[in-house]
């Protein structure tokens, strides 16, 4: 079966921030991997990715959850030119190194075994393997000695909680906040969809787990049991057809 890997690489030091394996990468996987990196290493000034749908919706209109999050944080989003992988040349060259290492190992039988191999590779690559482009230094040494660029003015640094769930048959989700269960009205047309819920201090954002499309946004109000979708006008919704 096909396995896809998300890599986040610091552009200056070649430091490998994250290396995660998935059977198939969805929008929720990008969010959870990015926010985990952000919580551990801080919020970056910018990102550079290809034009996959989990990173950008700029070719189909609108803005997906990853783009929404970066804008909220004040992070500048950069995308390579279509059919021009050399724009992301450093990470593409890194892929050669990673593939060479994996080919030298016994093929993993499970995703968990593969992730263990990736974790071991990450430690070796960052801390023990001298890098020619860094004049023999390791990426870890260069990364820790280099000042980090901050997001643009106006970005809001915050902590995000990630949860995965499935919308029920009535178009609702439940979310526990401050010890109390709340109901989120996502919409009947999204029933049974697998979603990622991105929760910060003021807002719960529901995202389609595969595409990264934002399905609904909800103001966090501890005094109310029901949080409506702020992206829809208030009022009575049509009764779902049986």
């Amino acid at each position: 079966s096909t396995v896809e890997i998300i890599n986040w690489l610091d552009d200056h030091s070649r430091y490998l921030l994250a290396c995660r394996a998935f059977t198939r990468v969805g929008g929720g996987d990008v969010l959870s991997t990015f926010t985990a990196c952000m919580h551990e290493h801080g919020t970056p000034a910018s990102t550079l990715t290809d034009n996959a749908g989990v990173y950008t919706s700029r070719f189909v209109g609108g803005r997906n959850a990853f783009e929404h999050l970066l804008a909220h944080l004040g992070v500048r989003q950069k995308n390579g030119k279509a059919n021009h992988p050399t724009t992301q040349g450093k990470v593409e060259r890194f892929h050669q190194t990673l593939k060479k290492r994996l080919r030298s190992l016994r093929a993993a039988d499970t995703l968990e075994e593969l992730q263990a191999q990736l974790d071991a590779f990450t430690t070796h690559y960052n801390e023990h393997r001298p890098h020619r482009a860094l004049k023999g230094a390791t990426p870890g040494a260069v990364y820790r000695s280099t000042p980090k660029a901050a997001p643009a003015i106006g970005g809001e640094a915050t902590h995000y909680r990630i949860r995965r769930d499935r919308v029920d048959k009535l178009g609702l989700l439940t979310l526990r906040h401050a010890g109390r269960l709340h109901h989120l009205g996502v919409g009947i047309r999204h029933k049974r969809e697998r979603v990622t819920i991105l929760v910060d201090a003021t807002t719960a954002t529901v995202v389609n787990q595969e595409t990264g499309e934002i399905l609904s946004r909800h103001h966090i109000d501890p005094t109310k049991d029901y949080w409506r979708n702020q992206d829809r006008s208030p009022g009575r919704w049509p009764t779902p057809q049986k």
Side-chain angles (χ1 to χ4, degrees), residues 59-242:
F59 293 119
V60 295
R63 187 166 70 179
N64 69 15
F66 183 61
E67 293 169 298
H68 167 75
L69 175 60
L70 295 184
H72 177 67
L73 294 169
V75 176
R76 183 184 177 192
Q77 184 179 25
K78 304 175 185 177
N79 298 97
K81 294 181 179 179
N83 302 314
H84 200 265
T86 54
T87 306
Q88 299 85 239
K90 291 177 183 177
V91 74
E92 294 295 338
R93 176 61 184 85
F94 164 79
H95 289 160
Q96 293 183 33
T97 302
L98 174 58
K99 290 176 181 178
K100 182 178 179 180
R101 175 59 178 169
L102 291 178
R103 290 191 190 105
S104 73
L105 303 174
R106 183 186 66 83
D109 294 322
T110 66
L111 199 64
E112 290 74 19
E113 289 182 16
L114 176 58
Q115 187 60 60
Q117 292 177 346
L118 295 176
D119 292 343
F121 169 82
T122 298
T123 300
H124 177 73
Y125 179 87
N126 283 339
E127 308 299 342
H128 303 295
R129 178 181 180 274
H131 203 297
R132 185 182 305 171
L134 302 177
K135 299 180 180 179
T138 63
V142 175
Y143 178 78
R144 287 185 289 273
S145 65
T146 304
K148 308 301 184 294
I153 295 174
E156 181 180 342
T158 188
H159 183 85
Y160 285 89
R161 168 187 165 200
I162 299 284
R163 184 190 152 190
R164 301 192 179 202
D165 205 342
R166 185 193 289 269
V167 181
D168 71 14
K169 64 181 181 180
L170 299 177
L172 300 173
L173 291 167
T174 58
L175 180 68
R176 185 173 294 278
H177 179 76
R180 179 176 173 181
L181 278 178
H182 301 272
H183 300 281
L184 284 63
V186 180
I188 192 67
R189 67 192 181 95
H190 300 299
K191 66 180 180 179
R192 304 302 188 190
E193 290 187 22
R194 293 188 179 276
V195 298
T196 296
I197 310 173
L198 184 66
V199 185
D200 64 17
T202 62
T203 308
T205 303
V206 180
V207 179
N208 181 287
Q209 206 169 105
E210 294 296 326
T211 66
E213 175 192 2
I214 296 174
L215 305 183
S216 61
R217 276 180 279 243
H218 310 264
H219 293 327
I220 292 177
D221 186 346
T223 67
K224 295 182 179 180
D225 291 331
Y226 178 79
W227 299 343
R228 73 175 184 84
N229 181 0
Q230 297 297 320
D231 290 345
R232 297 188 62 172
S233 300
R236 185 175 179 84
W237 295 357
T239 301
Q241 300 295 319
K242 296 183 179 180

Side-chain angles (χ1 to χ4, degrees), residues 14-26:
R14 276 80 165 179
Y15 186 79
L16 184 55
L17 300 167
C19 191
R20 302 285 182 267
F22 303 90
T23 53
R24 179 182 178 186
V25 173

